[in-house]
Amino acid sequence: MRNRSHRWRAVLAATAAAALLGTAACDAGGGSPATGGTAGARPSPRPTPVWDRSPDSMAAVGDSITRGFDACSVLSDCPEVSWATGSDPRVDSLAVRLLGTAGAAERSWNYAVTGARMADLPGQMEQAAARRPELVTVMAGANDACRSSASAMTPVADFRAEFRKAMGTLRRALPRTQVYVSSVPDLKRLWSEGRGNPLGKQVWKLGICPSMLGDADSLGSAATLRRGQVQDRVKAYNQVLREVCAKDRRCRFDGNAVFDYRFGTDQLSHWDWFHPSRDGQARLAEIAYRTVTARNPVT
């Protein structure tokens, strides 16, 4: 019995030693064959996010709003107060917020054109792409609704085709550039906010957005129907912007934030009671900055 007990103790000691050696080997080698471990293995790096919340350059395309029209003086562009690329500290444009004052002056470009419609956007995108910006901002569509009459508004199908064409123009040149898309502003609210100002209504008679602002004091059925048609068309344009942008993983729509913003007369130009004032431009810059720098896109 004594010899047998001695032999068992020897076997147990040998087994324990083998186990210790195996553990040491695993610690030194970084894993066992069963788990496929390798020496020096490290956790896989996190994938780079698709959306960069701090782009290093930007270009803007669109219409008179992005040009700061009527924000500084009557019937003239004032790009220094542009919500997108302006330098005015009272506006604190998107470019200044993202790039700093010096960076905005060197690495932001404004290719918007007063009076532009969606059909003009592909050409502007081509110009913007030549600068190879990391971000392009889009605000277009108001002039497609602001026509001589409701029947003259850009058809929704044409609006969609031109926006797709503009995005395609950019993507062929710059597949990785990010795009911020603003919704079209609420034109009916422009009418309701500005119609109480006699001067504004006189300016509107010069031909500013007749489809919505024409015959501003009339509350008759024909005028009400016309304004409703314009409002419905703007909503349809915004749905197009949302849908087309959603198919591009590097595009962010503002979720109708500009359309839904409850602006007042302080946000309107006191030259025409239609375009954004400096304060209005600053509000647009805030909305854009929130959308571009958000951790997750608006859904």
Side-chain angles (χ1 to χ4, degrees):
M1 292 295 293
R2 190 179 297 114
N3 291 338
R4 182 178 297 174
S5 176
H6 177 74
R7 284 197 300 273
W8 274 112
R9 285 197 297 271
V11 170
L12 289 172
T15 301
L20 288 171
L21 286 172
T23 301
C26 286
D27 289 343
S32 68
T35 60
T38 59
R42 297 177 180 175
S44 299
R46 293 182 180 180
T48 301
V50 171
W51 185 267
D52 180 2
R53 293 187 292 158
S54 55
D56 195 48
S57 58
M58 63 168 281
V61 298
D63 55 30
S64 56
I65 296 177
T66 303
R67 293 298 299 174
F69 186 81
D70 267 7
C72 303
S73 58
V74 65
L75 299 180
S76 62
D77 287 348
C78 188
E80 57 266 32
V81 303
S82 167
W83 66 271
T85 60
S87 58
D88 191 320
R90 290 170 290 181
V91 172
D92 197 14
S93 70
L94 177 62
V96 170
R97 295 172 194 237
L98 292 174
L99 312 176
T101 302
E106 297 171 356
R107 301 189 305 280
S108 71
W109 307 277
N110 192 326
Y111 292 105
V113 177
T114 293
R117 287 183 272 171
M118 186 56 74
D120 300 305
L121 210 66
Q124 292 182 18
M125 280 290 200
E126 187 173 0
Q127 290 180 291
R131 294 286 190 175
R132 306 193 67 81
E134 294 186 4
L135 173 70
V136 172
T137 66
V138 176
M139 181 180 283
N143 289 322
D144 291 270
C146 283
R147 307 306 299 157
S148 58
S149 65
S151 61
M153 293 186 295
T154 302
V156 176
D158 293 352
F159 187 87
R160 183 184 298 272
E162 293 297 344
F163 185 45
R164 283 177 171 170
K165 183 178 178 181
M167 290 295 292
T169 298
L170 178 68
R171 285 289 167 251
R172 283 190 293 274
L174 301 173
R176 299 178 65 85
T177 287
Q178 298 175 167
V179 182
Y180 161 76
V181 178
S182 166
S183 50
V184 182
D186 186 342
L187 299 181
K188 192 171 184 180
R189 184 169 178 83
L190 285 169
W191 165 75
S192 65
E193 287 295 309
R195 63 188 290 264
N197 184 275
L199 175 60
K201 287 187 292 187
Q202 289 300 315
V203 175
W204 289 356
K205 291 179 181 180
L206 298 177
I208 295 179
C209 199
S211 56
M212 176 60 77
L213 304 181
D215 200 10
D217 287 326
S218 175
L219 298 177
S221 58
T224 300
L225 175 63
R226 167 171 51 82
R227 296 185 195 111
Q229 290 174 330
V230 176
Q231 185 77 341
D232 289 344
R233 186 61 56 90
V234 168
K235 291 179 179 179
Y237 290 162
N238 283 333
Q239 185 61 27
V240 167
L241 297 175
R242 180 193 299 274
E243 291 172 354
V244 174
C245 188
K247 294 179 180 179
D248 188 309
R249 62 201 301 257
R250 289 186 169 86
C251 182
R252 281 191 176 184
F253 179 60
D254 73 359
N256 272 347
V258 169
F259 178 84
D260 291 337
Y261 179 67
R262 307 301 289 172
F263 57 83
T265 54
D266 286 344
Q267 283 78 52
L268 297 179
S269 164
H270 288 189
W271 296 106
D272 64 19
W273 301 90
F274 178 78
H275 290 90
S277 62
R278 277 186 174 87
D279 187 72
Q281 291 283 346
R283 303 292 82 77
L284 293 173
E286 289 175 2
I287 292 171
Y289 183 72
R290 285 200 305 268
T291 304
V292 170
T293 61
R295 188 171 298 276
N296 297 307
V298 179
T299 57

